[in-house]
Amino acid sequence: MNDMQTGQAPVQTFDAIIIGAGMSGMYQLVRLRELGLSVRVLEAGTGVGGTWYWNRYPGARFDSESYSYQFSFSRELLDEWDWSEHFSSQPETLRYLNHVADKFDLRRDIQFSSRVTAAHYDDAMPGWTVTLDNGDSLQCRFLITAIGPLSAPTMPNIPGVETFQGRSCHTANWPHEPVSFEGKRVAVIGTGATGVQTIQEVAKTAKHLTVFQRTPNWCAPLHNSRISKAEMETIRANYPAMFQLCQETFSCFLHTADTRNTFDVSEEERLAFWEKLYASPGFGIWVGNFKDMLTNREANAAISEFVANKIRQRVKDPVVAEKLIPKNHGFGTRRVPMETRYYEVYNQDNVKLVDINETPIERITPTGIKTSDADYAFDIIIYATGFDAITGSFDRIDIRGTDGQKLKDRWRHGPETYLGVMVNGFPNMMMLMGPHMALGNIPRSIEHNVDWVTGLMRFAHDNRINRIEATADEVKAWTDHVKALGDGLLTFEVNSWMTGVNTNVEGKQVRIINRYAGSAPDYRARCDAVAASGYRELALA
Ligand code: NA7
């Protein structure tokens, strides 16, 4: 029976479907159009921007220098966009990404309000059938996931969450209209990078703010500042050198590890270096520190003590200060939240810190939060409880490869990939910023990742290749390589989203190596060698 007989509209078919209109999906669309392919981008939100579309919570901003975090592929775009702050706020970044969408006329190929629920491979096509939350289906030869490593928000597994009668929200589902905290009693649960940015902003206006902390993190000053017109011109004139530097550093940041070990220098020199890093803008203290900071336990203990003393100096109440100092992990072994007067917030009369290890949350009630020793009443509860990171956005889509095998089952004990881009058994599916990718300065990685996938698409197009699959041997080799790179790094000895642990998600209590911990230049060199060899490691048909 054909579509005419069934009365159904024919299934729309594309050369490629991209899931997600964040930075990676947007750039992939630009590149695939250049190949003359028919492309459809499917996006759950009502606008472009991905992370910067969803995370509208108060205080959301870059922790990487704005200009180093933008697209670099178009000189014209670089010339016409001015950044107003060294570390831009979310509204400015979202404006920038909308400007990119306008400039390249991206929206005509993006289908908004379309959440992908399933993607099934069919070898007869060969290709994919993609299903949306409204039941519609689309088909494509190549499926490109641009669904982000931090896009599946998780609510805390605390009883009674749904019973609260006031206003409540996860930071990654923040409303589009402004939320006022004036005169309000506000709770924040979670003290990761998001919680820290939220807390320091909400504390400015809330009548009272109560922070529920399970694990303190090592935070460091962001030292943000405005960019004058003249300074912007100087920054712009330096773009070629700046982007070149990003290509050379370990994680594509403007900062890179110092070539010395911690104890190569005298104590005086060491402390002076750390003081300088603590007083400098951005991630320098994390990724520009002594090179053994995350491999040598004594070195890590020394920098941790330095930062602990900073916290003790900044927080007036010594009992509160001790609660804010991490005890179960060293500095930099988790993502370092960047802050602006975060610690000083706890000196304010309208702010209280509740250590939920001492007094656990028992439940969320209709009026607030009940801990083991008190009943707190709130008007607003903010859940800054993070994400089912890296594999979570894949788990939330029913992705099935050859013989109906589910990707979620395949990755039950951790992801297996080829270059972080492909999985055997899932032909014609390419992942942008998927598991086993270097995170670092993400747009820099995105541009390489997209260019590499585009090169593969071009090769397939030119050589009439309809089916591309990573081999089992190559997937094993890459997965083993990624695991070996994580060996000996203190980061992988700690529970965090960076090691795949999420106490709110069933089956994610065990640490895994889910991201590439080698250098970005090494990663690029490996990918580029594969391309130069004519993709000989792949099974092509
Ligand atoms: P994170 O860094 O995963 O932080 C989540 C926070 O929420 C963290 O403090 C958690 O404590 C806390 N949390 C999670 N579940 C609970 C429950 N059930 N009870 C109490 N507290 C809880 O997410 P972010 O959004 O801050 O940052 C993610 C990344 O996005 C960030 O690193 C940037 O790269 C951008 P825990 O530490 O697990 O004890």
Side-chain angles (χ1 to χ4, degrees):
M1 225 178 351
N2 64 29
D3 293 320
M4 292 275 278
Q5 288 166 313
T6 60
Q8 289 171 352
V11 175
Q12 289 184 284
T13 302
F14 301 89
D15 293 323
I17 285 179
I18 300 167
I19 311 177
M23 287 187 81
S24 52
M26 291 169 73
Y27 181 47
Q28 185 67 79
L29 173 59
V30 170
R31 282 292 183 235
L32 289 189
R33 272 186 186 167
E34 290 169 1
L35 300 186
L37 302 184
S38 62
V39 187
R40 173 65 56 88
V41 181
L42 301 171
E43 165 57 50
T46 59
V48 298
T51 289
W52 303 101
Y53 168 90
W54 294 103
N55 289 270
R56 296 162 186 260
Y57 61 85
R61 69 170 61 250
F62 284 153
D63 285 341
S64 306
E65 288 76 0
S66 314
Y67 27 89
S68 78
Y69 201 91
Q70 64 189 327
F71 286 121
S72 72
F73 68 86
S74 160
R75 184 69 225 189
E76 212 178 273
L77 177 62
L78 291 168
D79 282 344
E80 68 195 15
W81 187 264
D82 287 355
W83 293 98
S84 70
E85 291 178 278
H86 284 274
F87 302 90
S88 280
S89 65
Q90 175 271 337
E92 182 168 352
T93 305
L94 189 57
R95 272 200 303 281
Y96 166 73
L97 293 173
N98 275 290
H99 169 73
V100 175
D102 291 341
K103 183 175 175 64
F104 296 96
D105 190 18
L106 298 184
R107 289 189 192 81
R108 71 181 150 88
D109 289 322
I110 305 176
Q111 191 173 321
F112 293 104
S113 304
S114 299
R115 184 173 287 282
V116 172
T117 55
H120 294 179
Y121 177 75
D122 179 355
D123 230 354
M125 291 162 68
W128 290 81
T129 300
V130 175
T131 308
L132 303 178
D133 52 359
N134 67 1
D136 285 357
S137 290
L138 303 89
Q139 290 182 335
C140 59
R141 172 130 305 154
F142 296 106
L143 177 68
I144 300 178
T145 65
I147 53 183
L150 291 156
S151 57
T154 45
M155 291 292 280
N157 52 357
I158 303 171
V161 165
E162 66 297 339
T163 66
F164 182 60
Q165 303 279 299
R167 197 159 185 193
S168 63
C169 196
H170 190 287
T171 46
N173 287 318
W174 200 261
H176 287 211
E177 64 282 1
V179 177
S180 168
F181 302 104
E182 242 155 273
K184 300 282 196 300
R185 298 158 303 173
V186 184
V188 174
I189 301 181
T191 50
T194 302
V196 165
Q197 288 188 335
T198 306
I199 289 161
Q200 65 200 18
E201 191 61 28
V202 173
K204 289 178 186 165
T205 53
K207 179 176 169 204
H208 197 274
L209 168 64
T210 309
V211 175
F212 293 86
Q213 173 188 271
R214 185 164 69 183
T215 311
N217 282 297
W218 296 101
C219 311
L222 180 64
H223 296 299
N224 186 25
S225 57
R226 296 198 66 79
I227 301 175
S228 68
K229 196 85 189 148
E231 193 181 1
M232 189 63 230
E233 289 317 318
T234 309
I235 291 170
R236 199 191 322 275
N238 191 43
Y239 275 165
M242 183 197 74
F243 286 119
Q244 183 56 36
L245 176 64
C246 291
Q247 292 299 302
E248 290 162 10
T249 59
F250 194 91
S251 310
C252 310
F253 290 115
L254 297 178
H255 317 270
T256 201
D258 195 275
T259 50
R260 300 166 298 173
N261 286 313
T262 305
F263 301 112
D264 288 350
V265 301
S266 68
E267 187 179 6
E268 195 184 359
E269 203 177 330
R270 190 159 59 241
L271 290 175
F273 179 54
W274 285 337
E275 287 292 352
K276 186 167 150 256
L277 289 176
Y278 200 80
S280 303
F283 277 141
I285 194 159
W286 187 26
V287 297
N289 217 309
F290 292 115
K291 73 172 196 275
D292 60 346
M293 184 182 86
L294 293 176
T295 50
N296 176 332
R297 277 174 219 287
E298 287 72 40
N300 189 260
I303 179 68
S304 300
E305 189 53 20
F306 173 85
V307 180
N309 284 331
K310 291 289 180 195
I311 300 171
R312 291 183 185 110
Q313 286 159 18
R314 292 174 59 184
V315 178
K316 286 189 188 144
D317 181 336
V319 176
V320 175
E322 284 315 306
K323 286 181 182 171
L324 289 165
I325 296 172
K327 304 292 188 301
N328 66 355
H329 67 281
F331 179 81
T333 60
R334 291 174 131 205
R335 205 289 206 172
V336 174
M338 302 307 291
E339 48 86 20
T340 303
R341 299 188 59 73
Y342 172 66
Y343 289 109
E344 286 72 13
V345 157
Y346 296 97
N347 298 333
Q348 293 178 203
D349 292 338
N350 67 333
V351 178
K352 177 182 167 77
L353 178 69
V354 175
D355 179 344
I356 62 170
N357 300 296
E358 285 174 5
T359 54
I361 297 177
E362 290 181 348
R363 60 181 306 109
I364 309 291
T365 68
T367 54
I369 296 178
K370 179 171 165 31
T371 63
S372 60
D373 76 334
D375 240 323
Y376 295 90
F378 295 114
D379 303 302
I380 300 175
I381 300 178
I382 301 175
Y383 296 104
T385 43
F387 301 89
D388 184 357
I390 301 184
T391 51
S393 49
F394 290 87
D395 291 350
R396 289 184 185 189
I397 301 174
D398 176 19
I399 299 175
R400 299 189 195 190
T402 50
D403 305 324
Q405 64 174 306
K406 293 184 179 182
L407 187 64
K408 188 173 178 180
D409 291 343
R410 177 69 187 280
W411 284 356
R412 181 170 291 131
H413 303 294
E416 297 170 4
T417 77
Y418 170 69
L419 303 178
V421 180
M422 272 172 274
V423 189
N424 64 306
F426 296 81
N428 290 7
M429 181 179 88
M430 286 73 177
M431 302 175 289
L432 301 175
M433 297 316 296
H436 291 174
M437 288 293 299
L439 293 175
N441 185 346
I442 288 185
R444 302 280 67 76
S445 301
I446 285 174
E447 285 188 336
H448 176 268
N449 203 189
V450 167
D451 287 344
W452 194 86
V453 168
T454 306
L456 179 56
M457 294 284 97
R458 182 181 294 114
F459 185 85
H461 187 251
D462 293 350
N463 294 283
R464 297 176 192 276
I465 289 162
N466 290 325
R467 192 184 189 282
I468 303 173
E469 186 176 7
T471 66
D473 285 350
E474 292 297 341
V475 167
K476 182 173 181 333
W478 179 255
T479 302
D480 288 348
H481 173 60
V482 170
K483 287 181 179 164
L485 286 170
D487 276 352
L489 281 179
L490 300 177
T491 311
F492 287 105
E493 296 179 3
V494 171
N495 289 353
S496 76
W497 68 259
M498 295 172 100
T499 52
V501 176
N502 187 318
T503 59
N504 305 307
V505 181
E506 209 187 312
K508 297 218 169 158
Q509 269 78 50
V510 178
R511 282 198 290 275
I512 54 168
I513 293 184
N514 54 12
R515 70 198 161 83
Y516 176 84
S519 81
D522 285 352
Y523 175 77
R524 285 193 297 267
R526 174 78 169 86
C527 291
D528 295 347
V530 172
S533 78
Y535 308 94
R536 272 211 303 270
E537 292 172 2
L538 290 167
L540 306 171

